[in-house]
Amino acid sequence: MKVLVCGGAGYIGSHTCVTLLEHGHDVVIFDNFSNSSQVVVDRIGELSGASVRFVRGDVRDQDALETLLADGVDAVIHFAALKDVSGSCQQPLVYFENNIVGTIALLHAMQSAGVKNLVFSSSATVYGEPEAVPITESAPLRATNPYGLTKLVMEQVIGELCKTDPEFSAILLRYFNPAGAHPSGHIGEDPNGAPSNLLPYVAQVAVGLRDRLDIFGNDYPTRDGTGVRDYIHVMDLADAHVKALQKLGQGGCVTLNLGAGRGHSVLEVVSAFECASGRRVPYQFVARRHGDVAEAWADPSRAEKILGWHAQYNLRRMCEDAWRWQSGHPNGYRS
Ligand code: NAD
Ligand code: UD1
């Protein structure tokens, strides 16, 4: 298939592009580099050994997208979004503009060009504070911050579009906690400034960029008092996107959890990372982070049923691959 990958130079997008190219898909990456760079695109080409077409642009530029889509594109994978929860609380309009207006421009362009197949990056954030675990796709949805609201709104907009146009086919993928890196160690997660997510923070402590990890709360009603999450290897996510593409074209909107289906505590992540890296990860317990929940993990059985997909890699492997990337590139793509 010829696939337009919006946000394809980002963390999840870059791993997915390598996998798509390895499966023989024709990939066009569209990215404004607001959170990535040309180095990533070059590495995607090197790793896959395939030629990658890259167009620098913004998803809010409907005309640019229409021109690209008219060139025989079969499907779009839409990763392009701003994703920092605290940033979204400080500048909600910037997030609404980028994530919502951007996606609507993309949908307009798809409609004009007659491209009717979409895979959309959603997030487990749409579940807010879950009432029960494991979380199924039919659990109640609520946004607890502006970023989460952008995902919730776009899920609904895409759902409505599928209802009005029976030929429009969308798969909404709700990622749990993406982690790890490509096994080569040449591409990985490269946060801007201090990481807000656990795994990249732990990796930066292990490599010596930061003194210690602050663990947000040790008084949760969990097995060791720290928060429990469903970490999912980024290569497993990449695989799910390739499988999702194969299911498009039948019309309708399908929503799928992408998680491993088991939870790990913060202390278990620290311990797994210490084993994988051979380094100590000093930590201290601090107050809970506002907006955090005690535990969240997926029921991924619908993804297994519909895509024939389940997670292949465990937490140890996520830590090993994250460490290979972090230790080889202490300053991310700048090193
Ligand atoms: P990322 O920031 O690494 O990648 C996003 C890419 O989109 C970047 O390359 C950025 O430059 C590009 N981009 C952003 N706005 C754009 C715009 N207006 N026009 C063109 N390009 C634009 O993020 P990621 O971790 O790879 O996340 C990918 C998607 O998955 C996002 O939609 C995110 O909300 C979602 N998601 C991520 C996580 C996570 O923890 N990483 C969890 C759940 C969902
Ligand atoms: C965060 C986001 C969520 C987003 C998800 C995946 C918040 C409030 N939520 O959720 O919207 O969908 O990432 O991108 O930001 N932890 C520490 N110390 C740290 C960092 C994290 O103890 O420095 C703990 C957290 O309290 C949590 C666990 O580690 O228990 C995982 O945290 P994180 O990686 O931020 O993911 P989520 O909390 O699931």
Side-chain angles (χ1 to χ4, degrees):
M1 288 169 94
K2 182 163 181 175
V3 189
L4 177 68
V5 186
C6 299
Y11 171 45
I12 306 169
S14 56
H15 293 76
T16 302
C17 285
V18 171
T19 306
L20 287 168
L21 289 159
E22 284 170 354
H23 279 76
H25 292 292
D26 186 2
V27 171
V28 182
I29 298 177
F30 186 79
D31 202 300
N32 66 359
F33 288 156
S34 59
N35 198 29
S36 52
S37 67
Q38 180 64 41
V39 183
V40 189
V41 177
D42 296 342
R43 299 237 174 119
I44 293 169
E46 285 158 26
L47 283 173
S48 62
S51 76
V52 191
R53 186 165 165 221
F54 173 73
V55 176
R56 186 165 183 172
D58 195 297
V59 284
R60 288 165 288 182
D61 184 349
Q62 194 181 318
D63 292 343
L65 286 168
E66 261 177 49
T67 309
L68 279 176
L69 288 164
D71 194 19
V73 168
D74 299 299
V76 176
I77 306 183
H78 180 33
F79 294 105
L82 298 174
K83 62 169 179 177
D84 181 45
V85 171
S86 64
S88 80
C89 297
Q90 285 152 19
Q91 295 187 295
L93 291 177
V94 172
Y95 276 67
F96 297 149
E97 163 76 23
N98 194 81
N99 296 5
I100 299 179
V101 175
T103 306
I104 288 178
L106 170 63
L107 294 171
H108 269 302
M110 289 176 71
Q111 209 165 43
S112 302
V115 177
K116 299 192 177 216
N117 295 313
L118 174 70
V119 178
F120 176 74
S121 296
S122 187
S123 166
T125 195
V126 297
Y127 296 116
E129 195 159 337
E131 284 166 10
V133 283
I135 305 171
T136 64
E137 289 84 353
S138 54
L141 304 179
R142 61 180 77 90
T144 52
N145 54 65
Y147 165 71
L149 184 59
T150 69
K151 293 296 175 191
L152 205 51
V153 168
M154 291 328 305
E155 281 200 2
Q156 288 166 1
V157 166
I158 295 165
E160 289 302 319
L161 196 61
C162 290
K163 280 187 207 157
T164 53
D165 180 353
E167 287 177 9
F168 199 92
S169 187
I171 300 189
L172 314 178
L173 299 177
R174 292 178 180 157
Y175 316 144
F176 276 67
N177 291 67
H182 191 272
S184 66
H186 292 314
I187 56 172
E189 190 169 9
D190 185 14
N192 215 344
S196 43
N197 292 126
L198 179 63
L199 242 300
Y201 204 103
V202 168
Q204 291 195 2
V205 174
V207 86
L209 289 175
R210 301 189 185 274
D211 292 341
R212 78 177 77 82
L213 169 73
D214 284 342
I215 296 185
F216 301 139
N218 63 341
D219 55 354
Y220 283 107
T222 59
R223 49 188 172 268
D224 61 22
T226 65
V228 169
R229 296 290 184 278
D230 187 336
Y231 297 93
I232 176 78
H233 199 299
V234 67
M235 296 307 294
D236 277 325
L237 291 182
D239 178 41
H241 287 78
V242 175
K243 292 191 157 90
L245 275 185
Q246 292 156 4
K247 290 286 164 192
L248 291 169
Q250 297 161 14
C253 185
V254 177
T255 306
L256 302 173
N257 282 342
L258 293 183
R262 61 176 174 265
H264 290 288
S265 73
V266 177
L267 287 173
E268 286 164 0
V269 170
V270 169
S271 162
F273 209 93
E274 288 184 331
C275 280
S277 63
R279 300 279 180 98
R280 273 197 61 237
V281 177
Y283 62 81
Q284 63 180 1
F285 294 115
V286 299
R288 291 180 180 190
R289 179 172 65 180
H290 178 70
D292 269 359
V293 298
E295 49 188 353
W297 72 86
D299 175 346
S301 55
R302 191 189 281 179
E304 167 87 63
K305 190 167 158 233
I306 291 182
L307 302 182
W309 173 91
H310 59 263
Q312 306 275 355
Y313 300 113
N314 60 18
L315 179 63
R316 198 194 63 188
R317 182 65 193 269
M318 288 177 234
C319 294
E320 285 168 359
D321 288 337
W323 177 242
R324 197 173 298 109
W325 157 250
Q326 184 71 65
S327 54
H329 306 274
N331 294 303
Y333 288 106
R334 291 166 301 286
S335 58

